[in-house]
Amino acid sequence: MIKKSYNKNLHKLNTFGMRVRATLYIEYDSVEDLTAIQWDKLPQPVLNIGEGSNLLFTKDFPGTILHSGIRGIEVLEERSCGDDLFVRAGAGVIMDDFCDWAARKEVWGPENLSAIPGTVGAAPVQNIGAYGVEAADIIDSVECFEMATGKIVTFSAAQCEFGYRDSFFKHNRGRYIVTHVTFHLYGDFRPVLEYGKLKEEVERNAEIYKADTDPYKPIYQTRFVPPMPVSPMLVRETVKIIRENKLPSPSKKGSAGSFFKNPVVDAAVFRAVENTAAGLKGGTVAVPHYDLPDGSVKIPAAWLIEFCGFKGRTCGGAAVWEKQPLVIVNDTGRATPRDIVALENTIIDKIRDTFGIELSPEVDHI
């Protein structure tokens, strides 16, 4: 069913809580709904959104906002084999609900992506990722509605051209609307625990996770029991706890999650960052980093931002989150797009002037 609203207030439809409006808002819940839309009569441009969790509306939107209500998770029996499952999910399914579904099925793949705000349909567009896993690692194919032709087009994972928080779809906005995503989930034991202190936290939580009576009870409600094997649900619960301790809940403090991408630099630039940091601090500084297979180095943007003194910094109603400087929040609940952008630009300028590194926003500016 199609539902239309004109001059729609988007305040509750973007996790930053920006008080902006769209000329037209359309909610749909099937592919058939999309085929019935008279595209040439819609206010332009047209933007399809999920939970609005990776967007910064910088002003009122002059066109049409589309929102998917396509639900449902189904196992493709004809494709699944052994303990592996091929699972087709509607674009409107909440991604964290999908992660929970997979963990309850005791299959591996999306558990590290738990608690990331957003929908299944947004996952391939942004190639969401966390704790060493990206959506690209488990996506088999993506079904899309092609707006120009009204046809359903299926893209293989290779055709999606996934990159770090990037994809084919991100560079072809206004051409395709994701309707379904098929995931390849794994039945064999394959936890990904190498990122940060995830392995340490999972092992610690394995000591207190009460699996004998209720394997899905949150860890914080359990008592001590003997160690248990690592499971998808255990990893999921651990990731959720880590995120809850570091990141603000959008329902309490508006944000779009990680605001900046972690910069990837060559080895020479990384050495220069170490030298600059040592010079400013008057001694050796251990710069956190991740060595990549091609010889380049990924530096946590959060560390660069905190080193430059932005943790807790405010600008109008916006602020750098005190527990995780990679996050910019709508601190007062009344922050304007101008506040957010001003703080963003101040951070970018300072990092560039200090380290010669240009931070790139992960958040899409609309």
Side-chain angles (χ1 to χ4, degrees):
M1 180 181 294
I2 294 177
K3 297 179 181 178
K4 294 184 179 181
S5 300
Y6 291 90
N7 194 31
K8 177 72 171 180
N9 187 336
L10 302 178
H11 173 231
K12 294 184 178 181
L13 295 168
N14 69 100
T15 57
F16 244 132
M18 293 294 98
R19 299 173 185 275
V20 296
R21 292 181 176 272
T23 301
L24 176 62
Y25 174 81
I26 296 177
E27 185 154 354
Y28 60 92
D29 57 20
S30 69
V31 173
E32 290 71 27
D33 287 345
L34 290 174
T35 63
I37 293 174
Q38 296 178 295
W39 297 95
D40 59 339
K41 295 184 179 180
L42 296 180
Q44 299 295 316
V46 176
L47 176 67
N48 190 76
I49 67 171
E51 286 195 298
S53 58
N54 196 56
L55 301 176
L56 172 61
F57 283 101
T58 59
K59 58 185 177 182
D60 287 342
F61 190 74
T64 303
I65 295 291
L66 299 173
H67 182 262
S68 176
I70 299 176
R71 309 292 185 185
I73 301 173
E74 61 173 325
V75 176
L76 302 178
E77 299 290 354
E78 71 278 6
R79 296 193 58 192
S80 299
C81 56
D83 293 327
D84 286 7
L85 298 181
F86 283 85
V87 182
R88 183 174 181 257
V93 173
I94 301 302
M95 188 63 193
D96 188 58
D97 290 346
F98 178 74
C99 295
D100 183 69
W101 180 93
R104 289 175 182 272
K105 290 287 185 180
E106 298 186 346
V107 286
W108 295 91
E111 59 280 350
N112 291 37
L113 306 179
S114 294
I116 296 179
T119 59
V120 163
V125 177
Q126 181 70 8
N127 188 19
I128 62 171
Y131 303 103
V133 173
E134 293 182 329
D137 298 329
I138 55 173
I139 288 177
D140 175 76
S141 61
V142 179
E143 297 168 49
C144 297
F145 177 83
E146 188 173 38
M147 296 169 65
T149 66
K151 297 179 179 179
I152 296 297
V153 182
T154 300
F155 294 88
S156 68
Q159 291 172 319
C160 293
E161 299 177 4
F162 289 123
Y164 174 51
R165 304 298 177 268
D166 198 14
S167 71
F168 168 84
F169 309 108
K170 204 167 185 179
H171 297 279
N172 287 274
R173 291 191 184 279
R175 291 185 60 189
Y176 302 98
I177 295 174
V178 176
T179 62
H180 296 84
V181 180
T182 296
F183 297 92
H184 184 181
L185 308 182
Y186 301 92
D188 60 320
F189 185 75
R190 55 171 71 197
V192 179
L193 305 176
E194 291 72 31
Y195 195 95
K197 295 184 178 180
L198 181 57
K199 185 174 187 292
E200 176 184 326
E201 290 297 308
V202 166
E203 291 175 344
R204 185 180 69 84
N205 287 330
E207 297 282 344
I208 60 172
Y209 196 69
K210 186 174 176 57
D212 55 338
T213 59
D214 184 358
Y216 308 121
K217 183 185 291 184
I219 294 173
Y220 57 79
Q221 295 180 4
T222 67
R223 61 176 176 77
F224 178 86
V225 294
M228 63 169 288
V230 174
S231 67
M233 185 59 77
L234 176 60
V235 176
R236 167 174 162 75
E237 288 291 334
T238 302
V239 167
K240 286 171 60 181
I241 289 174
I242 293 173
R243 291 184 66 89
E244 288 167 4
N245 288 336
K246 291 174 57 178
L247 302 173
S249 168
S251 63
K252 298 178 181 178
K253 190 78 71 171
S255 81
S258 298
F259 197 94
F260 297 101
K261 297 178 183 178
N262 293 320
V264 177
V265 301
D266 62 35
V269 172
F270 175 69
R271 288 193 295 271
V273 169
E274 287 184 309
N275 292 335
T276 298
L280 291 172
K281 291 295 184 180
T284 303
V285 175
V287 180
H289 64 282
Y290 304 94
D291 295 319
L292 302 179
D294 63 0
S296 59
V297 181
K298 181 186 289 187
I299 305 174
W303 182 88
L304 296 169
I305 295 167
E306 183 172 358
F307 184 91
C308 289
F310 283 102
K311 199 171 185 179
R313 181 83 65 89
T314 62
C315 179
V320 175
W321 185 238
E322 58 187 13
K323 294 182 179 180
Q324 169 51 276
L326 193 57
V327 177
I328 294 177
V329 297
N330 181 350
D331 193 47
T332 63
R334 303 292 301 186
T336 65
R338 181 177 295 181
D339 294 338
I340 304 294
V341 172
L343 183 54
E344 170 193 2
N345 289 336
T346 301
I347 292 170
I348 289 173
D349 291 344
K350 181 64 174 180
I351 302 300
R352 183 198 308 115
D353 293 344
T354 304
F355 293 109
I357 292 176
E358 189 80 17
L359 286 187
S360 297
E362 182 174 321
V363 173
D364 290 331
H365 294 51
I366 306 299

